[in-house]
Amino acid sequence: MWSTLLLLGAFAPGVLSVPGAGDDTVEVHWVGDTPKYTAGATFGLPWPEGKHHFNSTAFGISSDAGDEIPLQSWVTGYWRDGSIKWTGHAIPPLEESVDERYTVTARRGHSGSAPGVDVAQSKDEVVVDTGKITVSFPKHGSSIVGSIKTAGGKVVGQNGRLVLHTQSVVAEDVAARANTAIEYLNFESKVDNVTVSEEAGVRALVTVRGTHAPTTPGAHDAWLQFVVRFYLYANSDAVRVVHSIVFDGDADSDFVSGLGIQFQVPLKGEELYNRHVRIPGEEGGFLHEAVQGITGLRRDPAEEVRLAQVEGAQLPDISTWDERVSSRMQWIPVWNDYKLSQLSPDGFTIHKRTKAGQSWVTVPGGTRSHGLTYLGGATKGGIAVGLRDFWKRYPSGVEIGNAGADEGQLTVWLYSPDAAPLDLRPFHDGMGQDTYEKQLDALEITYEDYEPGFNTPFGIARTSELYLYAFDATPAADDLATLSKHTNEPPVLAADPSYIRETKALGSYWGLPDTTNDKAATIEDHLDFLVRFYEGQVEDRRWYGFLDYGDYMHTYDEDRHIWRYDVGGYAWDNSELSPDLFLWQYYLRTGRPDVYRLAEALTRHTGEVDVYHIGDWKGLGTRHGVQHFADSAKQVRITQPQYRKYFFYLSGGDERVGELLQEALDTDKTYGVLDPQRKVREDGWVPTPGQPAAISLGTDWAGLAAGWLLEWERRGPRWQEARHKLTQTARGIANLTNGFVTGSGLYAITNGTLLPPPEDPNNDGIVAVSHLNAVFGMPEVVSELLEYWGSDAPAGLRDVWLDYCYFYSATEGEQEARYGESFGALNLIQGHSRLTAYFANHADNATVAERAWDEFYNNEDGFTEDDPWNSTVIDGSAVLIPVDEASWVSTNAVAQYGLAAIQNLALVGGALAGSPYP
Ligand SMILES: *[C@@H]1O[C@H](CO)[C@@H](O)[C@H](O)[C@H]1NC(C)=O
Ligand SMILES: *[C@@H]1O[C@H](CO)[C@@H](O)[C@H](O)[C@H]1NC(C)=O
Ligand SMILES: *[C@@H]1O[C@H](CO)[C@@H](O)[C@H](O)[C@H]1NC(C)=O
Ligand SMILES: *[C@@H]1O[C@H](CO)[C@@H](O)[C@H](O)[C@H]1NC(C)=O
Ligand SMILES: *[C@@H]1O[C@H](CO)[C@@H](O)[C@H](O)[C@H]1NC(C)=O
Ligand SMILES: *[C@@H]1O[C@H](CO)[C@@H](O)[C@H](O)[C@H]1NC(C)=O
């Protein structure tokens, strides 16, 4: 795999181009350090409106030295006029040397297909040949991977399957085990269908869908839907695997006690002393073992024999060894089985045994395993499989089985069977909250919005990323170390912030960091502090775990020096007030690699776990709480597609996130079965499927609108429906006497019409302003939408939005003069200062710009300059472990301060230096 990329010359660049007007070059760089190794990469690039059309543009990419690299290009988003807004691009591994930057060109011409990956399809399987490996994907049966064969013709892995183990109940304590009848069940993948990307040049994407079926037929229904995506790049011996499951079981009887991906590794004909196991340790470390070890023995077979085994090389012929060893091989134990368990983010244990029925022997362990595990032989080759963020997603594990047999197994556990089963039952029994009054009263104290039946995990999901590498022979330890880094930090290519900003493809409400004056520089320092503080909190507070990793907590408990992980609505954040938007916008302007990784992990969490993917609530998410799925507020404000948009486009159209965006198009159906206002409704209205429903013009409509706009941009299969609903509802809002200030409208799913709300059937104009409407993506969505439409925006839409922006924080007198009544006491003024700034920018009004900064600095519930803007270490007996504390920080405040700071600087930054504030 380390050989020079000889094939490169054989690639026709696939570009038929004639240089001329309209040529564009865009630089891309690695996010973070230039990687030592790449296995093929996909990235996204934005383009300004009106510049390039797909059928008349040829994309190319070249290195520093001007060498053309094969490039596969496709469109992930279009501007309204049909010109290209976003492209996705794939490049093969860069083997000889990796440059810091590459140049992408867009020329007149058209991109031919870059030859590379060879895809063959038959009735029974899909076979992909990258030039380095050939992988087959059966279309039926239990294997999601048929075989993995190297270019040298060795089958190094086969019958890759998903494995699932469950139990029907859990014993409530150790004594209860004696009288708890537990049914244990084993499941394995059952493939429903396999599809392959239409275009396969540099990269082929194979998508396998199915469920987990019981290995004893009839023992249980097939369940736990999965979709596993395999990305194979030309000339690469690595496969990227994106594994997603949806929980469609019963939390009271389907306890997951092990979830993994398992490969068979053919070892027949390999001497036991030439078989190697590499168990992943810390950083790039490994435990190096041979299945039959010839080191450390009482007699020495010869130094070169010992060294060869440790290096993973084929041993000299046994006839050349010291006979005192070679004659006694039958007495040296054969270690068939190994397992590593990472049951906490702080430690892993390793055990091995000779075979079932014999005791496990403890192998010294460590703290945080990187997870990349190898099984193979010096002459037969083998595979390494790694789970990204292995220790952060504890309880995880790896297992080697039957390494002494003709066929060994390598299993990566996404959920370790050594851990207590995954318990998705509610954390409390309802505490007698059987009436609305009691639930409201409980909310008053724990801030949890409880309702029986709503605390269900049915329909939540989780996505994991793995890499699989194939070898003709056991690789050197340093090479495996390089791959372990690649697995955990897959290299990402990105355009510079200034270029992305210029294209406006992710809006124009953010700008590059501003240090042109002291006040702006102070804000930049604050933003930096907040992001670093959260990075540190993830570690200090161990915000890790199979379902939890990526998320943050909502509010801090100063007395206990701990985030309120156990207090109702103050625990897991579930995107409350848009930390997702803050982190992505902060990444866009700074290009910082640490921020990219933080935002990526958050998006992978919030888009999957906090959201329902199937069933009646598909497209809705769950409000913040102790468990990600427990709170009874199920709303689109949590699913908000805008939260996924940045990652989707930057990643070149991540297909799993694309699928989540598709799911979001069904969100509007939920209004027919679940009324988001049901807890506060007084008119007795009950939803009926297909019938008009009252939706809020912020938390609801902003989420629906973002999904519709994305589908329109992507020209997805439902884009015309999406555009219609978007346009109709926007027209409806523009038509309301009080526009967005009306607060809600009656939405008809059948034709997309938005009529005045039931309280105001004649559209006389009512005032219902909520502090929540504009803090779940609405400013970003409306701003992008108005730019997307340009002069074609529904008449009056811009005006009603500018009105909302101006009047939300205007004086009561101004509100009364405009709407006949004031908006009442509103909060989140700091976050809303970006609405004022938006107005000021559009009206080019310096007075209002100054008002925006006043609201940013002087308000009741945001951060102020008098806050400490630092953290303190708390240690000793006061805390479990030493932690960094900033008790003045809450995630709501961070998200809204961050967004206001970024957008105010971008929109009215010029007014800051001269303003009398703070
Ligand atoms: C590109 O051209 C093909 C063939 O003429 C056509 O089917 C396709 O719609 C065009 N695509 C775009 C984005 O214009
Ligand atoms: C593939 O199988 C899944 C179930 O696993 C099903 O939902 C989907 O409709 C199938 N797709 C096709 C194209 O058959
Ligand atoms: C807007 O209002 C006018 C008159 O009040 C009505 O005719 C029209 O249908 C409305 N349009 C929408 C999209 O609601
Ligand atoms: C859309 O549907 C609603 C509810 O059925 C109906 O009141 C309205 O007249 C329809 N609008 C149009 C333009 O068809
Ligand atoms: C700016 O806005 C203020 C406050 O609404 C208004 O009084 C003033 O006339 C506006 N100035 C300009 C130049 O439009
Ligand atoms: C944090 O800031 C406060 C207020 O500015 C100051 O009094 C305190 O000394 C600072 N603490 C640390 C650890 O820097």
Side-chain angles (χ1 to χ4, degrees):
M1 69 185 294
W2 305 98
S3 64
T4 334
L5 182 46
L6 290 173
L7 265 175
L8 252 185
F11 277 108
V15 174
L16 310 166
S17 66
V18 279
D23 284 12
D24 240 339
T25 62
V26 182
E27 296 229 316
V28 291
H29 63 274
W30 300 103
V31 177
D33 296 339
T34 302
K36 267 209 274 185
Y37 163 84
T38 67
T42 297
F43 60 96
L45 276 186
W47 304 92
E49 184 167 13
K51 196 115 188 239
H52 301 290
H53 288 81
F54 189 63
N55 279 348
S56 55
T57 307
F59 294 97
I61 186 168
S62 55
S63 67
D64 270 355
D67 296 329
E68 284 276 327
I69 295 162
L71 184 71
Q72 182 182 336
S73 307
W74 59 94
V75 181
T76 52
Y78 296 89
W79 292 98
R80 188 175 55 102
D81 66 0
S83 62
I84 295 173
K85 187 170 187 181
W86 283 94
T87 43
H89 301 276
I91 55 168
L94 302 158
E95 292 203 10
E96 207 150 7
S97 71
V98 183
D99 290 343
E100 261 174 55
R101 304 179 78 84
Y102 292 86
T103 305
V104 175
T105 53
R107 296 195 184 92
R108 289 287 163 78
H110 68 269
S111 297
S113 56
V117 187
D118 186 48
V119 177
Q121 283 228 51
S122 71
K123 188 162 86 353
D124 296 323
E125 61 178 6
V126 171
V127 181
V128 180
D129 181 356
T130 71
K132 287 275 181 73
I133 51 171
T134 303
V135 186
S136 69
F137 301 92
K139 289 185 172 174
H140 326 277
S142 61
S143 296
I144 58 168
V145 173
S147 69
I148 303 158
K149 194 161 74 181
T150 65
K154 294 177 185 171
V155 174
V156 292
Q158 58 195 21
N159 295 330
R161 287 173 312 149
L162 302 181
V163 287
L164 166 69
H165 303 278
T166 67
Q167 58 187 75
S168 56
V169 285
V170 287
E172 293 301 338
D173 56 46
V174 65
R177 288 181 192 171
N179 48 22
T180 306
I182 301 179
E183 187 189 10
Y184 294 96
L185 290 172
N186 302 326
F187 298 80
E188 62 186 14
S189 37
K190 175 168 132 330
V191 174
D192 284 336
N193 50 56
V194 178
T195 53
V196 59
S197 50
E198 273 168 37
E199 206 184 320
V202 168
R203 165 189 119 159
L205 163 60
V206 177
T207 306
V208 182
R209 288 174 197 275
T211 51
H212 294 76
T215 53
T216 309
H220 191 285
D221 289 342
W223 73 296
L224 204 68
Q225 304 174 17
F226 69 81
V227 44
V228 182
R229 294 181 166 83
F230 296 90
Y231 296 83
L232 298 100
Y233 289 82
N235 217 34
S236 176
D237 42 23
V239 183
R240 176 167 178 256
V241 184
V242 179
H243 168 285
S244 308
I245 43 158
V246 176
F247 185 84
D248 52 5
D250 180 344
D252 289 311
S253 59
D254 295 313
F255 293 88
V256 171
S257 47
L259 176 69
I261 177 164
Q262 183 176 78
F263 294 90
Q264 307 297 319
V265 180
L267 293 166
K268 193 173 176 184
E270 191 81 89
E271 298 293 352
L272 295 171
Y273 48 75
N274 279 333
R275 299 182 183 194
H276 304 115
V277 169
R278 299 288 180 262
I279 301 290
E282 297 170 19
E283 301 292 331
F286 288 91
L287 175 77
H288 301 252
E289 300 258 312
V291 170
Q292 192 178 36
I294 48 80
T295 61
L297 297 170
R298 190 164 183 192
R299 309 291 169 215
D300 182 6
E303 185 182 7
E304 55 170 352
V305 177
R306 284 184 284 115
L307 292 184
Q309 191 175 58
V310 172
E311 281 163 14
Q314 184 180 6
L315 305 199
D317 193 276
I318 194 164
S319 62
T320 67
W321 308 2
D322 187 320
E323 207 194 319
R324 288 173 301 170
V325 178
S326 56
S327 65
R328 298 190 172 94
M329 292 302 286
Q330 66 275 28
W331 310 127
I332 302 176
V334 175
W335 299 98
N336 267 295
D337 305 334
Y338 285 76
K339 61 178 178 178
L340 177 151
S341 305
Q342 180 87 49
L343 302 188
S344 94
D346 294 308
F348 62 86
T349 55
I350 309 175
H351 292 89
K352 68 178 188 179
R353 69 178 177 188
T354 54
K355 63 178 182 187
Q358 308 302 137
S359 169
W360 290 93
V361 171
T362 302
V363 183
T367 55
R368 293 173 165 180
S369 170
H370 59 73
L372 183 77
T373 309
Y374 171 82
L375 171 64
T379 68
K380 302 290 174 196
I383 54 170
V385 187
L387 168 66
R388 182 178 180 192
D389 296 324
F390 182 80
W391 63 265
K392 296 175 185 169
R393 289 173 161 251
Y394 80 95
S396 45
V398 298
E399 196 168 328
I400 301 283
N402 295 318
D406 283 350
E407 196 174 66
Q409 288 96 42
L410 193 168
T411 310
V412 173
W413 292 110
L414 311 184
Y415 196 93
S416 167
D418 287 338
L422 178 65
D423 194 340
L424 297 176
R425 294 173 299 175
F427 80 99
H428 67 68
D429 66 2
M431 299 180 288
Q433 296 178 49
D434 49 13
T435 64
Y436 172 64
E437 287 66 34
K438 291 179 192 171
Q439 293 158 20
L440 191 63
D441 201 44
L443 177 88
E444 201 51 50
I445 187 70
T446 63
Y447 200 39
E448 183 189 34
D449 185 352
Y450 174 83
E451 191 177 335
F454 281 78
N455 45 10
T456 173
F458 184 91
I460 69 167
R462 191 53 162 150
T463 285
S464 312
E465 294 176 69
L466 301 99
Y467 278 89
L468 189 158
Y469 307 92
F471 306 92
D472 271 321
T474 298
D478 283 352
D479 291 348
L480 278 179
T482 299
L483 297 181
S484 75
K485 185 166 167 66
H486 175 264
T487 300
N488 283 285
E489 287 170 46
V492 173
L493 278 169
D496 295 335
S498 57
Y499 173 73
I500 300 176
R501 176 67 185 81
E502 263 168 45
T503 66
K504 298 190 179 183
L506 284 170
S508 33
Y509 43 80
W510 55 276
L512 301 187
D514 181 356
T515 50
T516 52
N517 60 74
D518 289 351
K519 290 179 195 171
T522 301
I523 293 174
E524 296 292 346
D525 283 348
H526 291 347
L527 293 174
D528 177 65
F529 166 79
L530 294 173
V531 167
R532 286 185 201 284
F533 178 67
Y534 271 69
E535 282 169 355
Q537 291 297 287
V538 171
E539 170 64 9
D540 286 2
R541 313 296 178 162
R542 300 299 192 270
W543 289 338
Y544 300 120
F546 176 67
L547 289 181
D548 301 331
Y549 176 58
D551 207 355
Y552 313 129
M553 288 273 163
H554 182 284
T555 302
Y556 197 65
D557 179 347
E558 209 177 334
D559 301 318
R560 283 189 291 169
H561 304 291
I562 198 166
W563 288 79
R564 302 183 198 176
Y565 70 97
D566 59 348
V567 187
Y570 293 114
W572 289 116
D573 196 58
N574 285 26
S575 295
E576 185 68 359
L577 307 197
S578 316
D580 315 61
L581 294 181
F582 166 48
L583 285 178
W584 281 117
Q585 289 172 33
Y586 193 59
Y587 164 73
L588 285 177
R589 64 202 297 273
T590 60
R592 264 168 59 174
D594 58 329
V595 181
Y596 183 92
R597 299 297 184 189
L598 208 58
E600 183 187 17
L602 183 64
T603 296
R604 282 273 185 231
H605 166 86
T606 59
E608 302 281 355
V609 183
D610 300 347
V611 167
Y612 292 107
H613 302 265
I614 52 172
D616 282 352
W617 300 340
K618 174 181 170 186
L620 298 182
T622 300
R623 177 181 174 266
H624 40 101
V626 172
Q627 291 165 302
H628 297 286
F629 50 82
D631 199 271
S632 74
K634 309 295 184 191
Q635 296 194 21
V636 66
R637 70 186 214 205
I638 299 109
T639 7
Q640 174 56 286
Q642 186 75 18
Y643 294 169
R644 332 275 171 244
K645 184 171 192 170
Y646 307 87
F647 179 66
F648 175 74
Y649 283 131
L650 293 169
S651 65
D654 179 279
E655 282 72 15
R656 171 58 184 171
V657 173
E659 182 171 38
L660 304 182
L661 298 176
Q662 282 284 316
E663 287 173 4
L665 294 174
D666 288 329
T667 301
D668 59 356
K669 288 187 191 155
T670 63
Y671 292 100
V673 290
L674 184 70
D675 174 18
Q677 304 297 314
R678 68 193 185 284
K679 292 282 186 77
V680 287
R681 188 175 291 288
E682 289 172 352
D683 56 11
W685 181 83
V686 187
T688 312
Q691 290 304 302
I695 64 167
S696 87
L697 298 185
T699 48
D700 292 326
W701 184 76
L704 298 175
W708 291 328
L709 174 58
L710 265 155
E711 180 70 1
W712 181 9
E713 284 181 347
R714 296 171 66 195
R715 303 295 192 270
R718 291 167 69 180
W719 75 271
Q720 281 147 317
E721 171 200 338
R723 182 183 59 180
H724 178 75
K725 287 177 172 174
L726 182 60
T727 311
Q728 284 298 97
T729 53
R731 281 190 187 135
I733 295 169
N735 238 9
L736 296 172
T737 300
N738 286 348
F740 285 99
V741 170
T742 312
S744 65
L746 196 60
Y747 167 65
I749 187 171
T750 46
N751 58 25
T753 306
L754 191 125
L755 298 167
E759 302 92 302
D760 183 25
N762 299 323
N763 196 15
D764 295 329
I766 55 168
V767 171
V769 176
S770 159
H771 63 296
L772 293 180
N773 270 344
V775 291
F776 289 90
M778 182 125 106
E780 291 78 9
V781 173
V782 178
S783 170
E784 287 190 34
L785 194 47
L786 286 170
E787 286 186 350
Y788 198 72
W789 259 316
S791 56
D792 226 23
L797 182 70
R798 183 180 308 270
D799 296 334
V800 291
W801 176 241
L802 286 171
D803 273 355
Y804 190 83
C805 289
Y806 181 85
F807 285 101
Y808 182 90
S809 306
T811 63
E812 295 204 347
E814 284 178 296
Q815 291 167 351
E816 269 163 25
R818 170 69 177 78
Y819 293 102
E821 58 182 287
S822 86
F823 295 175
L826 288 169
N827 53 16
L828 299 180
I829 298 300
Q830 184 164 70
H832 280 81
S833 67
R834 71 190 196 276
L835 276 67
T836 311
Y838 185 84
F839 177 94
N841 178 282
H842 282 255
D844 197 14
N845 186 318
T847 314
V848 184
E850 195 169 288
R851 196 191 106 195
W853 286 115
D854 181 19
E855 290 158 8
F856 178 75
Y857 284 115
N858 307 308
N859 58 79
E860 307 265 299
D861 53 4
F863 290 138
T864 72
E865 287 309 294
D866 294 336
D867 283 319
W869 294 104
N870 64 23
S871 58
T872 319
V873 173
I874 310 280
D875 54 14
S877 62
V879 280
L880 194 60
I881 57 171
V883 291
D884 223 7
E885 178 176 275
S887 57
W888 54 279
V889 166
S890 78
T891 306
N892 276 356
V894 171
Q896 288 296 307
Y897 173 91
L899 288 167
I902 289 170
Q903 295 177 22
N904 290 357
L905 285 173
L907 298 169
V908 293
L912 178 58
S915 84
Y917 309 108

